[in-house]
């Protein structure tokens, strides 16, 4: 196996469940696709090749555990309307559904590839991609086929909204029945938008339970617009993650803390809809594992930048820079039930980001600045 020594690291952040170790004047050795050694540069072993990091900061590749990348069309007019004072609601999703259904596979694949490339250039080495803009058996299946070309973390989101011309009861039966049967072989996860204007608690539970029976893990869009049953259902069904978590009751916070369900916060959505941000400090104080993700989608969070979300988390949700970086790495991995990513320790996949900065603090200290100098995935330089 070929080995690479990353030397002259100014600051190495390793990331783990205890908060992550920070090593100054560090080095890291990669063998094949995995991390083999981390520690002080003075103690580094020999390797076949040496990469001089030049005093820069190195941290794990970002793990974006919530993204909607398979779509067509544009919702610029909707964004302008919101910036002019209109309130965001879920109904705009149907606009994207219509455009996605009309688009050729090649068009959808090209858009997805462009967004994944953007993400990679900004340090994201693992991304989850949902369906949810097809809402027919054929279109949901082809969305997952396209997503699967870019990631193993694919999510069936047939229960995004109820499409026009179909009753809610009929659509729930379709999603939990033939649509799920067609899509489950192409997905690792199932998700439901459990929210007013989309699916209520009983409908969400029925669909998610069918997904569990089909062998899929559970994720839930929960509590974006108001307190609702989404978090309770996520905890009841053993979901990996409850996503948004903007409006939580005390019982919701307790349930997240005791169940181990990750609270995935999506500050890009609040930024893009001028909505209140989640109370990250409340969740962290309760011992909840928090993840950050982009929620990249054409309607409510059209950003592919995890560094931007880190800056928002620090500025708007009062997370410390360390808490935000941990949520964007280790937290995202936990939200995908992965222990091989989001950390830099022996045995983990060699996914790392080299920042053109002396510390990860600069991700929030210098918002909007392209600080990602290099990206390595599985021991290979990809950006």
């Amino acid at each position: 196996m070929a080995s690479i020594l990353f030397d002259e690291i100014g600051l190495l952040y390793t990331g783990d469940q205890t908060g992550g170790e920070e090593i100054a004047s560090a080095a890291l050795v990669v063998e094949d696709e995995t991390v083999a050694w981390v520690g002080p540069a003075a103690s580094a072993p020999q390797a076949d090749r040496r990469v001089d990091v030049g005093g820069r900061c190195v941290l794990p590749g970002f793990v974006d555990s919530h993204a909607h990348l398979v779509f067509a069309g544009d919702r610029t007019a909707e964004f302008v309307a919101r910036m002019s004072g209109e309130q965001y609601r879920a109904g705009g999703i149907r606009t994207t559904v219509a455009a996605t259904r009309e688009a050729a596979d090649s068009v959808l694949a090209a858009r997805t590839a462009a967004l994944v490339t953007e993400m990679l250039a900004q340090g994201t080495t693992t991304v989850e991609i949902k369906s949810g803009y097809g809402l027919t058996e054929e279109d949901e299946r082809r969305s997952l086929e396209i997503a699967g070309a870019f990631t193993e973390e694919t999510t069936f989101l047939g229960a995004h909204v109820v499409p026009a011309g179909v009753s809610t009861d009929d659509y729930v039966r379709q999603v939990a029945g033939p649509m799920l049967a067609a899509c489950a072989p192409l997905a690792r996860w199932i998700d439901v938008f459990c929210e007013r204007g989309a699916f209520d608690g009983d409908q969400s539970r029925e669909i998610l339970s069918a997904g569990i029976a089909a062998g899929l893990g559970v994720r839930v869009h929960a509590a974006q617009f108001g307190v609702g049953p989404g978090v309770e259902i996520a905890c009841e069904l053993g979901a990996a993650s409850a996503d948004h978590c903007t409006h939580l009751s005390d019982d919701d916070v307790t349930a997240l803390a005791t169940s181990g369900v990750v609270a995935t916060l999506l500050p890009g959505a609040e930024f893009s809809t001028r909505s209140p941000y989640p109370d990250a400090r409340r969740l962290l104080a309760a011992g909840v594992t928090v993840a950050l993700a982009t929620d990249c989608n054409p309607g409510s969070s059209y950003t592919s930048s995890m560094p931007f979300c880190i800056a928002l988390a620090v500025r708007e949700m009062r997370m410390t820079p360390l808490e935000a970086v941990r949520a964007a790495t280790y937290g995202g991995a936990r939200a995908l039930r992965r222990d091989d990513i989001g950390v830099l320790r022996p045995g983990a996949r060699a996914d790392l980001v080299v920042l053109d900065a002396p510390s990860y603090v600069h991700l929030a200290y210098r918002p909007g600045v392209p600080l990602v100098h290099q990206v390595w995935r599985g021991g290979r330089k990809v950006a």
Side-chain angles (χ1 to χ4, degrees):
M1 293 185 294
S3 58
I4 304 173
L5 168 64
F6 291 84
D7 203 3
E8 301 296 333
I9 299 173
L11 180 68
L12 175 64
Y13 171 70
T14 62
D16 62 30
Q17 73 182 88
T18 61
E21 184 180 9
E22 297 181 36
I23 307 173
S25 302
L28 178 147
V29 175
V30 170
E31 290 185 356
D32 198 13
E33 297 183 353
T34 61
V35 177
W37 182 90
V38 296
S43 304
Q46 295 294 312
D48 299 320
R49 176 185 168 197
R50 178 177 178 270
V51 174
D52 185 341
V53 176
R56 296 178 174 88
C57 177
V58 172
L59 64 157
F62 301 128
V63 181
D64 189 346
S65 60
H66 184 126
H68 307 253
L69 305 187
V70 185
F71 66 87
D74 179 270
R75 283 159 67 183
T76 305
E78 180 183 322
F79 176 78
V80 171
R82 283 201 307 274
M83 296 303 101
S84 302
E86 291 189 15
Q87 185 177 359
Y88 172 66
R89 291 182 173 83
I93 292 168
R94 295 184 181 90
T95 302
T96 303
V97 169
T100 302
R101 287 177 176 177
E102 293 177 0
D105 288 3
S106 59
V107 172
L108 296 175
R111 170 70 65 82
T112 305
L115 290 169
V116 169
T117 299
E118 285 182 8
M119 290 176 161
L120 195 61
Q122 297 173 92
T124 297
T125 50
T126 301
V127 60
E128 177 260 17
I129 303 178
K130 305 178 190 296
S131 66
Y133 291 125
L135 308 188
T136 66
E137 182 177 323
E138 177 185 354
D139 288 306
E140 286 295 293
R141 182 178 175 86
R142 73 180 181 125
S143 294
L144 287 167
E145 288 173 340
I146 291 165
F150 300 95
T151 184
E152 59 195 319
E153 301 294 345
T154 54
T155 298
F156 169 50
L157 182 58
H160 204 178
V161 292
V162 178
V166 183
S167 75
T168 300
D169 288 345
D170 285 347
Y171 189 66
V172 169
R173 283 191 290 270
Q174 182 182 354
V175 172
M179 193 184 294
L180 173 62
C183 292
L186 299 170
R188 184 179 178 213
W189 306 96
I190 187 169
D191 194 349
V192 170
F193 191 12
C194 183
E195 195 65 68
R196 65 175 185 266
F199 297 89
D200 66 23
D202 290 341
Q203 294 159 353
S204 298
R205 185 179 286 104
E206 179 180 345
I207 292 166
L208 293 170
S209 296
I212 292 170
L216 301 180
V218 172
R219 331 185 62 73
V220 183
H221 282 63
Q224 179 181 6
F225 300 145
V227 175
V231 169
E232 177 186 354
I233 291 169
C235 296
E236 171 194 324
L237 297 181
S241 179
D243 297 16
H244 286 291
C245 292
T246 310
H247 301 276
L248 300 176
S249 67
D250 289 343
D251 287 345
D252 286 338
V253 175
T254 299
L256 289 166
T258 56
S259 68
V261 174
V262 175
T264 298
L265 308 184
L266 310 170
E270 279 71 44
F271 177 86
S272 298
T273 60
R274 283 188 177 158
S275 300
Y277 286 86
D279 190 345
R281 294 253 54 89
R282 180 186 181 199
L283 290 163
L284 291 165
V288 177
T289 298
V290 171
L292 289 175
T294 63
D295 190 19
C296 182
N297 77 84
S300 61
S301 184
Y302 203 5
T303 179
S304 56
S305 175
M306 287 292 279
F308 174 64
C309 292
I310 289 169
L312 285 178
V314 173
R315 173 62 180 84
E316 302 294 340
M317 300 196 300
R318 301 186 182 278
M319 297 176 76
T320 67
L322 177 59
E323 289 168 341
V325 168
R326 180 176 183 265
T329 53
Y330 173 79
R334 281 285 304 275
L336 296 174
R337 289 192 171 150
R338 298 277 296 271
D339 59 11
D340 62 324
I341 57 175
V343 295
L344 291 174
R345 54 164 174 71
R349 194 170 76 188
D351 295 354
L352 56 97
V353 176
V354 181
L355 297 179
D356 199 4
S359 166
Y360 58 79
V361 175
H362 282 235
L363 291 166
Y365 179 47
R366 303 193 69 205
V369 177
L371 294 176
V372 174
H373 179 67
Q374 292 181 356
V375 182
W376 296 69
R377 188 177 188 277
R380 186 172 63 90
K381 185 180 176 183
V382 291

